[in-house]
Amino acid sequence: MEHTPAAAWIAQAAGAAQQQGSGNLLRVVLIVMVLGCVLTAWFLLRGYKRKDD
Protein backbone atom coordinates (compact mmCIF):
# COMPACT_ATOMS: atom_id res chain seq x y z
CA MET A 1 0.00 0.00 0.00
CA GLU A 2 1.54 3.25 -1.07
CA HIS A 3 1.44 6.49 0.85
CA THR A 4 -0.64 9.29 -0.63
CA PRO A 5 0.00 12.88 0.46
CA ALA A 6 -2.78 14.79 2.19
CA ALA A 7 -3.23 17.20 -0.71
CA ALA A 8 -3.75 14.32 -3.15
CA TRP A 9 -6.18 12.65 -0.77
CA ILE A 10 -8.23 15.86 -0.45
CA ALA A 11 -8.25 16.29 -4.24
CA GLN A 12 -9.47 12.72 -4.69
CA ALA A 13 -12.18 13.21 -2.06
CA ALA A 14 -13.38 16.40 -3.77
CA GLY A 15 -13.50 14.64 -7.14
CA ALA A 16 -15.44 11.72 -5.67
CA ALA A 17 -17.93 14.10 -4.02
CA GLN A 18 -18.75 15.66 -7.39
CA GLN A 19 -19.38 12.26 -9.00
CA GLN A 20 -21.95 11.08 -6.48
CA GLY A 21 -25.43 11.15 -7.91
CA SER A 22 -27.72 9.61 -5.30
CA GLY A 23 -26.81 11.91 -2.41
CA ASN A 24 -29.88 14.13 -2.79
CA LEU A 25 -32.19 11.13 -3.07
CA LEU A 26 -30.72 9.64 0.08
CA ARG A 27 -31.19 12.92 1.94
CA VAL A 28 -34.83 13.12 0.88
CA VAL A 29 -35.46 9.50 1.90
CA LEU A 30 -33.86 10.04 5.31
CA ILE A 31 -35.81 13.27 5.94
CA VAL A 32 -39.11 11.63 4.98
CA MET A 33 -38.30 8.62 7.16
CA VAL A 34 -37.53 10.80 10.20
CA LEU A 35 -40.67 12.89 9.70
CA GLY A 36 -42.71 9.71 9.33
CA CYS A 37 -41.30 8.32 12.57
CA VAL A 38 -42.07 11.56 14.40
CA LEU A 39 -45.64 11.69 13.10
CA THR A 40 -46.20 8.01 13.90
CA ALA A 41 -44.89 8.48 17.44
CA TRP A 42 -47.09 11.55 17.92
CA PHE A 43 -50.15 9.67 16.65
CA LEU A 44 -49.52 6.65 18.86
CA LEU A 45 -48.65 8.63 21.99
CA ARG A 46 -51.68 10.88 21.50
CA GLY A 47 -53.92 7.92 22.29
CA TYR A 48 -52.35 7.41 25.72
CA LYS A 49 -53.23 10.90 26.91
CA ARG A 50 -56.25 10.86 29.18
CA LYS A 51 -58.23 13.69 30.69
CA ASP A 52 -59.10 12.70 34.25
CA ASP A 53 -60.85 15.91 35.27
Side-chain angles (χ1 to χ4, degrees):
M1 185 171 164
E2 67 182 54
H3 176 71
T4 53
W9 185 82
I10 292 173
Q12 288 175 354
Q18 291 176 353
Q19 293 174 0
Q20 293 179 353
S22 63
N24 290 335
L25 177 64
L26 184 60
R27 275 190 208 103
V28 169
V29 168
L30 288 174
I31 290 170
V32 168
M33 184 179 69
V34 168
L35 289 176
C37 289
V38 168
L39 287 174
T40 302
W42 173 76
F43 181 73
L44 290 175
L45 292 174
R46 186 178 66 140
Y48 290 112
K49 187 167 87 173
R50 293 184 182 183
K51 292 184 179 180
D52 293 332
D53 292 337

